Amino acid sequence: MRGEFDFIKQIRGRYSLGEIGDDCAVIPKNSEYDQVITADMLVEDVDFRLKWTTPEFIGHKSLAVSLSDLAAMGAEPKWAMLSLAVPEKVWASDFLDRFYAGWQTLAGEFGVELIGGDVSRSPDRLIIDSIAGGDVPRGKAFMRSGAKPGDAVFVTGTLGSAAGGLKLLELGEHLKGEVGDGTRRLLLSQLKPFPALRESALLRSLGIPTAMIDISDGLAADLRHICEQSGVGARIDCDLLPIDPALTERFGAEQAREFALGGGEDFELLFTVDEKTFPSEGIPGIARIGIITPKIGEVEFFCDGTAIIPWLSGFRHF
Ligand code: ADP
Ligand code: MG
C-alpha cells in the first residue's frame, strides 16, 4: 500500500503545477513580498488525546504547527483560519472557549489575526483544520530544495524532547502535581511546542540558509526531504545532536539519541548553510550536526564513528 509521502508525490505529479511539496505554498503577492500558506489537520486520538492535555494546549498547538511551517520558509506570520468539526459533548462544555484562549495567546504573541474558518458537527471525535499565511521578501523564501554539497547542516533548539514527552504521557505521567523541571520541559515540548519564529527571523535577516524545513516528522525523515528535493545526500554526526540532559536522564543515552533522530514533533528548524557565510562567532541555540554530501538521496548517521540506521518512529499517518 502506498505511504503518505508517496501519495503526496502522486498528487503533486498529477494535479499540481509545482507548488506542492514544501512546508508552505509560495504565491506572488506584490513587488516586495511573496505570500506563503500552509494547512495542517489535527484529529482527536490520532494527533492528540483529550485526557493527556488541556483545551488551552490544543488551541496553542493547533496554531503552533502552522506557525512552524511559516518559520520554515523564513516568513513573517500574518493571518490564520481555523475550522472545527465538533462532537456534541465537546460543544456542550467550556472546551471551545478555553481552546480559543490558548490559540489567541500564541496568536497575540506574533501578531497573527484570525480571519475566518468554519464550524461543523462531528459524530464522535474533534477535528481541527488550521490554515495560516505570512509574508516573505519576494523570491527569498527558504525552500527544501537549495542544499549544496559541502553545506553544513544545522538545527535550532534540542531534538527528541517531544517524542520523550509523548512516551512519558503514554507511561501515565502528567503535568499535575509535583513534576521536576526536566520532566516538565519534556512534557511541554509535546503538549505546547513553541514555533521557532524568532530563530527564523534571525536567519532571514542574515539570509544564510540554502535550504530549510521544520522538524515535524523527525530529524531523519525531514533531512531526507531536504536531500531528496535538493538532489544531495547528508552525513550526520550523532555526537553533535543537541539533546536536553533531562531526556538522557529519563531514558538513557541510547534511547535519547533514537528519539532525537527518529521522533517527530520537535518543531525545530533544520537548515543548511554555506559555512563561509555563517557568523564565525556562531549563533546561540543553533548546533552544527553534519554536512551535505554529493551522494544523491543517501542520508548517513555516524555514532561513535560507526554508521547506523536510525529507528524511524517519526509519525506517518499511512
Ligand atoms: P509538513 O510536515 O511540512 O506540514 P506535509 O508532509 O504535511 O508537510 O506535506 C508535504 C507537502 O505536501 C506540503 O506541500 C503539503 O501542502 C502537501 N500536501 C499534504 N497533503 C496534501 C493533500 N492531501 N493534497 C495536496 N497536497 C498535500
Ligand atoms: Mg513542515
Side-chain angles (χ1 to χ4, degrees), residues 79-157:
W79 55 264
M81 303 180 86
L82 201 47
S83 301
L84 305 170
V86 188
E88 179 90 39
K89 65 178 187 306
V90 172
W91 187 261
S93 73
D94 64 355
F95 180 95
L96 290 178
D97 294 321
R98 295 177 57 191
F99 171 92
Y100 272 92
W103 189 97
Q104 183 55 45
T105 302
L106 180 61
E109 209 166 314
F110 292 105
V112 177
E113 188 189 347
L114 184 64
I115 61 162
D118 194 17
V119 181
S120 184
R121 178 190 287 265
S122 164
D124 59 352
R125 304 286 150 90
L126 176 64
I127 300 171
I128 302 155
D129 180 50
S130 164
I131 295 178
D135 290 351
V136 64
R138 193 169 172 187
K140 299 279 194 237
F142 299 130
M143 311 299 288
R144 297 176 177 182
S145 53
K148 302 268 181 309
D151 285 354
V153 180
F154 292 89
V155 284
T156 60

Side-chain angles (χ1 to χ4, degrees), residues 14-316:
R14 282 184 201 161
Y15 306 112
S16 111
L17 296 175
E19 269 310 327
I20 292 177
D22 221 294
D23 293 289
C24 296
V26 183
I27 298 165
K29 181 173 175 173
N30 56 33
S31 59
E32 268 182 87
Y33 290 103
D34 289 329
Q35 182 160 216
V36 300
I37 302 179
T38 177
D40 287 284
M41 191 145 62
L42 284 86
V43 178
E44 182 185 347
D45 290 343
V46 177
D47 299 292
F48 62 89
R49 282 177 206 274
L50 291 179
K51 69 171 195 261
W52 287 349
T53 185
T54 67
E56 290 85 355
F57 285 161
I58 301 175
H60 171 103
K61 190 165 177 176
S62 303
L63 180 60
V65 298
S66 297
L67 296 187
S68 180
D69 277 325
L70 300 184
M73 309 303 287
E76 187 182 343
K78 294 285 181 193
W79 55 264
M81 303 180 86
L82 201 47
S83 301
L84 305 170
V86 188
E88 179 90 39
K89 65 178 187 306
V90 172
W91 187 261
S93 73
D94 64 355
F95 180 95
L96 290 178
D97 294 321
R98 295 177 57 191
F99 171 92
Y100 272 92
W103 189 97
Q104 183 55 45
T105 302
L106 180 61
E109 209 166 314
F110 292 105
V112 177
E113 188 189 347
L114 184 64
I115 61 162
D118 194 17
V119 181
S120 184
R121 178 190 287 265
S122 164
D124 59 352
R125 304 286 150 90
L126 176 64
I127 300 171
I128 302 155
D129 180 50
S130 164
I131 295 178
D135 290 351
V136 64
R138 193 169 172 187
K140 299 279 194 237
F142 299 130
M143 311 299 288
R144 297 176 177 182
S145 53
K148 302 268 181 309
D151 285 354
V153 180
F154 292 89
V155 284
T156 60
T158 55
L159 300 178
S161 296
L166 178 61
K167 190 75 194 170
L168 294 178
L169 291 168
E170 285 167 0
L171 293 169
E173 298 203 27
H174 47 72
L175 280 172
K176 295 185 203 100
E178 281 199 13
V179 183
D181 285 350
T183 299
R184 176 176 298 276
R185 276 201 306 280
L186 301 181
L187 290 169
L188 283 174
S189 303
Q190 168 58 222
L191 297 172
K192 196 185 180 196
F194 210 78
L197 280 164
R198 295 201 171 87
E199 294 81 351
S200 168
L202 175 64
L203 293 169
R204 185 178 58 232
S205 68
L206 293 170
I208 54 176
T210 49
M212 188 144 86
I213 189 170
D214 67 319
I215 303 183
S216 53
D217 299 329
L219 171 66
D222 286 315
L223 180 58
R224 185 162 292 285
H225 291 315
I226 284 192
C227 288
E228 282 177 358
Q229 295 191 29
S230 297
V232 295
R235 191 169 63 239
I236 299 301
D237 181 348
C238 301
D239 302 327
L240 300 178
L241 298 174
I243 292 176
D244 188 323
L247 190 67
T248 310
E249 196 178 304
R250 293 299 312 261
F251 295 98
E254 197 169 325
Q255 196 171 12
R257 196 173 67 196
E258 287 188 351
F259 284 147
L261 289 174
E265 296 201 302
D266 281 319
F267 297 111
E268 296 294 348
L269 297 174
L270 169 67
F271 60 99
T272 58
V273 175
D274 175 345
E275 264 187 302
K276 289 197 291 292
T277 66
F278 197 78
S280 53
E281 67 279 16
I283 305 176
I286 287 180
R288 182 187 186 284
I289 60 168
I291 193 152
I292 295 295
T293 69
K295 301 181 196 170
I296 299 172
E298 256 187 65
V299 184
E300 304 164 286
F301 296 90
F302 281 87
C303 301
D304 307 320
T306 312
I308 63 145
I309 296 169
W311 157 88
L312 287 176
S313 87
F315 193 76
R316 274 171 205 71

